[in-house]
Amino acid sequence: MGWREDGTEKTYTDEEVEARLKQELPHWYLENGWIRRKYKTSGWKSTLMVVNTIGHLAEAGFHHPDLTVSYAFVIVKLTNHAAKGITDKDFELAKKFEEVVMWQPGLDEGALVGTPDDARFKYIKYD
């Protein structure tokens, strides 16, 4: 099979999607056939960093979200158009977004301590 999908990928029912979101992605929700998440940022520069991060991960995974971009937030929407529903691709990409965008190095042991608690360096509003 080539890069185009044949539409045989398993899609999940709304009930299955909501159960998985509750268990695996608690900051995401189902609405109108999409799984969605709003990332709050501290301003335009931070918003652009989130958009670029999401863009890189989506392109690398070859599964592309819809985005709504504003001054201090980014809304991400995922669905699988070829499969006509929510599939494992949507869940996997959402998890990767969470892992990278919400990463807080100061919570891990290691040399990276994260941004200082100072308004000049605010980046993203962590959940």
Side-chain angles (χ1 to χ4, degrees), residues 82-94:
K84 297 178 176 47
I86 306 299
T87 67
D88 286 329
K89 287 181 179 180
D90 302 299
F91 287 109
E92 286 183 29
L93 193 55

Side-chain angles (χ1 to χ4, degrees), residues 12-88:
Y12 291 91
T13 66
D14 287 355
E15 293 77 19
E16 290 171 322
V17 170
E18 288 179 358
R20 282 193 67 177
L21 291 176
K22 184 177 180 180
Q23 182 179 10
E24 302 170 27
L25 293 158
H27 298 287
W28 289 71
Y29 61 97
L30 177 66
E31 185 178 77
N32 298 326
W34 299 80
I35 59 172
R36 299 171 181 236
R37 165 71 145 109
K38 183 176 187 177
Y39 292 104
K40 296 177 184 175
T41 69
S42 63
W44 184 242
K45 290 187 288 185
S46 300
T47 294
L48 292 177
M49 285 190 277
V50 169
V51 167
N52 286 324
T53 299
I54 288 169
H56 167 73
L57 295 171
E59 188 61 23
F62 203 62
H63 188 57
H64 305 97
D66 279 17
L67 302 177
T68 300
V69 179
S70 189
Y71 177 79
F73 67 84
V74 178
I75 297 172
V76 182
K77 297 176 11 181
L78 285 165
T79 194
N80 189 319
H81 296 287
K84 297 178 176 47
I86 306 299
T87 67
D88 286 329

Side-chain angles (χ1 to χ4, degrees), residues 113-122:
V113 297
T115 54
D117 188 18
D118 181 313
R120 295 173 298 166
F121 304 108
K122 290 288 183 201

